[in-house]
Amino acid sequence: MGEVINLRLARKQRARAEAAVRADQNRRMFGRTAAEKAAEAAVKARVDGTLDGAWLDSPTSGDRSE
């Protein structure tokens, strides 16, 4: 005879395996490490600071279209 298995546990194991595959796909598509996020934030801050410092007059009304 074959091995007796608990169907509830088998379903849970299959669901866990499918969730792990889905999580791996999401990590590959959307995931970034904390170091990558910090590096991007540092570059953005540097660029924003450079652009803000390049204004000839400081805007008084907050409108920079002049």
Side-chain angles (χ1 to χ4, degrees), residues 5-60:
I5 60 169
N6 187 331
L7 293 178
R8 180 179 50 89
L9 293 179
R11 273 191 234 100
K12 285 185 178 187
Q13 286 177 340
R14 185 177 59 225
R16 283 188 198 111
E18 290 171 359
V21 168
R22 209 171 323 119
D24 186 50
Q25 290 171 347
N26 286 339
R27 276 192 296 271
R28 290 174 191 231
M29 289 176 60
F30 305 111
R32 293 185 302 161
T33 64
E36 290 171 337
K37 291 176 188 177
E40 184 177 328
V43 168
K44 183 175 176 2
R46 184 173 44 88
V47 168
D48 288 344
T50 301
L51 289 176
D52 288 342
W55 286 96
L56 297 177
D57 298 351
S58 67
T60 56

